[in-house]
Amino acid sequence: MKDEKEMNQMFQEILEQHKGILFKVTRMYCQNEVDRQDLYQEISIQIWMSLDKFNNKYKISTWLYRISLNVAISFYRKNIKREVTNIPLSEDISQIQESDYTEKEHNLNLLEQFISELNELDKALMLLYLEEKNHAEIADIGYFCK
Amino acid sequence: MDEKEMRNIWQSYNERLESTMQVAYENVGEIAKIKLKSFLHSMKPFKVITIIIGILWVVFVDTLIINLWTTANLFFLISACIQTVLTKVAIGVYLYQLYLIYNVDLSEPVIISQERLSRLQFSTLLVPRILFLQLPAWTTFSWHTSMLYDGNIFLLTIQGVISILSVYASIWLFLNIRYENRNKKWFRWLFNGKEWDPIIESTELIRQIEEYKSEEINSTGAY
């Protein structure tokens, strides 16, 4: 059992070094900034609460993906009304001026729409796929496609 | 858009997102408060009120039983005892399942945690199943031994039929409120309402997980 100070430090380091994972997961499951912040907070709390259960046999990123995706799936089921039509674009996309609306942005828009229509488990699988995780890692994180 | 292009778009957008998003907080003291808030938040007012009403009801019925033990008729005492015992069991099961749901290990692989969570959530239906078993007791409260000898035969028959039907209904509901019947009309009608939504939605996730498992079996020959 780690002491409080050690856990605080470990927690800060994990959040700092791996915040990218949290950002990607929140982005995958939330359409707007407020929900993203809430989900980010929920995931952080769960990481904090699971710190003493961390098992060194797994990579820390695997452990973080598991927690983040599990929290995100539950959060998604609790909070998000599944509207498959009229999906609001995320803020930074909607701020793009019409003149800047390049093919890349258009494709990004399509990708976002496609992701938003997936069910909660497929979203997780899609994230791991886009992150170029190999089959073994995907199996470790999600138990999908072992 | 091909796969490579899709991944490139994703990566470039991630870089942009990471540079613009701010971490909401980093203060550990704040997190301790949020932890508590999160736990309290998970106990929705509906659940808290239900538990409080249940406990108050049990205390009320137990008080009646104790005070009327020597004077009340046998049917009343037996009905009240059945009612209060089943309510106590239901409250205990409800609290235990809330505890289990809150303590599911979310650092397990996604499919395992989500399946455990969904099945636990669905299993909270054990509470209404137990409560339905009380149904016959509600029809026998007013019975009295003297009415068996001097009572109106017509009214006695009606009371008897109602009690037998309630026994049948309670046992039938106890046996049939289960996952396999989740799509039946009567099931949807019985559990129609906002407070049942998480349980009904948990069945959808269980279905998705079962689909994953069956795809797994089809592709590998074993799970």
Side-chain angles (χ1 to χ4, degrees):
Chain A
M1 185 78 180
K2 299 173 182 74
D3 67 33
E4 185 87 8
K5 199 178 165 190
E6 202 181 334
M7 276 175 64
N8 286 346
Q9 196 184 346
M10 190 177 166
F11 177 71
Q12 303 268 13
E13 282 171 12
I14 288 172
L15 277 196
E16 190 51 43
Q17 286 168 19
H18 300 274
K19 62 183 176 190
I21 292 176
L22 274 68
F23 287 155
K24 287 165 199 167
V25 171
T26 55
R27 186 184 143 209
M28 185 62 96
Y29 283 86
C30 300
Q31 293 286 322
N32 64 62
E33 185 59 32
V34 177
D35 284 341
R36 279 181 194 157
Q37 293 276 352
D38 283 352
L39 177 56
Y40 189 98
Q41 208 171 59
E42 293 255 343
I43 295 171
S44 306
I45 292 164
Q46 197 57 51
I47 291 170
W48 169 260
M49 290 165 82
S50 304
L51 270 183
D52 55 348
K53 286 185 265 180
F54 175 65
N55 187 338
N56 282 323
K57 81 174 182 181
Y58 295 111
K59 277 164 58 179
I60 193 134
S61 60
T62 300
W63 182 74
L64 280 175
Y65 267 115
R66 283 179 177 182
I67 294 175
S68 306
L69 289 171
N70 271 318
V71 175
I73 290 168
S74 302
F75 182 89
Y76 178 83
R77 286 168 56 208
K78 266 193 291 186
N79 297 298
I80 308 294
K81 286 180 183 164
R82 272 154 254 184
E83 295 286 343
V84 288
T85 53
N86 299 324
I87 301 150
L89 300 178
S90 51
E91 290 76 1
D92 42 355
I93 296 179
S94 58
Q95 284 163 9
I96 294 167
Q97 297 297 312
E98 210 170 309
S99 57
D100 297 333
Y101 195 80
T102 62
E103 191 187 340
K104 198 173 177 182
E105 307 294 353
H106 174 70
N107 285 341
L108 181 56
N109 194 356
L110 286 178
L111 179 61
E112 287 236 314
Q113 287 218 15
F114 170 66
I115 290 169
S116 70
E117 288 170 21
L118 296 174
N119 69 42
E120 51 265 55
L121 291 180
D122 286 341
K123 273 185 167 63
L125 194 53
M126 175 56 87
L127 172 68
L128 299 174
Y129 165 78
L130 288 171
E131 287 296 307
E132 300 187 43
K133 300 286 173 199
N134 61 38
H135 276 216
E137 281 177 290
I138 291 177
D140 266 349
I141 294 165
Y143 226 65
F144 309 104
C145 311
K146 205 168 186 178
Chain B
M1 197 184 338
D2 63 20
E3 287 179 26
K4 199 178 168 193
E5 198 182 349
M6 202 155 76
R7 279 175 167 157
N8 285 340
I9 291 168
W10 175 258
Q11 290 305 334
S12 65
Y13 190 36
N14 271 338
E15 284 159 19
R16 219 167 68 188
L17 190 76
E18 279 183 42
S19 65
T20 54
M21 273 190 85
Q22 297 292 316
V23 178
Y25 60 88
E26 285 180 358
N27 183 319
V28 178
E30 194 184 339
I31 288 162
K33 285 183 211 155
I34 293 167
K35 259 167 57 183
L36 179 67
K37 198 176 139 199
S38 164
F39 175 71
L40 294 175
H41 181 68
S42 73
M43 295 286 286
K44 296 265 167 23
F46 173 78
K47 290 178 184 168
V48 177
I49 290 169
T50 307
I51 292 167
I52 291 171
I53 290 174
I55 291 170
L56 289 174
W57 175 251
V58 162
V59 170
F60 171 71
V61 178
D62 279 350
T63 311
L64 272 184
I65 292 171
I66 292 164
N67 287 320
L68 300 175
W69 188 254
T70 50
T71 52
N73 79 72
L74 193 64
F75 285 109
F76 175 84
L77 289 175
I78 291 173
S79 303
C81 283
I82 291 172
Q83 214 279 328
T84 188
V85 166
L86 288 173
T87 308
K88 281 173 195 161
V89 172
I91 292 171
V93 168
Y94 191 50
L95 287 172
Y96 181 62
Q97 285 183 324
L98 283 183
Y99 169 80
L100 289 180
I101 289 171
Y102 190 71
N103 283 288
V104 166
D105 184 2
L106 294 179
S107 61
E108 293 255 2
V110 176
I111 288 283
I112 294 174
S113 297
Q114 291 303 317
E115 182 169 24
R116 194 167 295 153
L117 204 57
S118 302
R119 290 201 185 277
L120 267 173
Q121 206 154 23
F122 189 80
S123 72
T124 53
L125 283 183
L126 181 59
V127 174
R129 286 171 68 197
I130 292 169
L131 292 176
F132 274 125
L133 283 178
Q134 301 175 351
L135 211 57
W138 287 97
T139 69
T140 52
F141 265 113
S142 57
W143 283 25
H144 203 275
T145 38
S146 63
M147 72 187 225
L148 297 175
Y149 304 109
D150 315 320
N152 180 318
I153 189 76
F154 178 70
L155 290 176
L156 264 180
T157 310
I158 290 178
Q159 279 195 313
V161 169
I162 290 172
S163 294
I164 289 167
L165 284 177
S166 69
V167 168
Y168 177 78
S170 65
I171 293 173
W172 190 87
L173 286 166
F174 182 79
L175 295 175
N176 284 284
I177 296 174
R178 53 198 167 100
Y179 179 71
E180 290 74 14
N181 292 326
R182 68 196 182 280
N183 292 323
K184 299 260 171 75
K185 264 187 185 172
W186 63 266
F187 189 100
R188 295 275 167 174
W189 176 80
L190 209 56
F191 299 107
N192 177 28
K194 220 174 151 190
E195 64 277 15
W196 301 108
D197 283 353
I199 292 170
I200 299 303
E201 278 177 26
S202 71
T203 65
E204 174 57 20
L205 196 63
I206 294 171
R207 189 193 60 75
Q208 286 175 28
I209 290 168
E210 282 173 350
E211 263 180 26
Y212 269 102
K213 283 182 172 176
S214 62
E215 279 169 21
E216 190 71 17
I217 290 165
N218 290 339
S219 62
T220 63
Y223 182 65

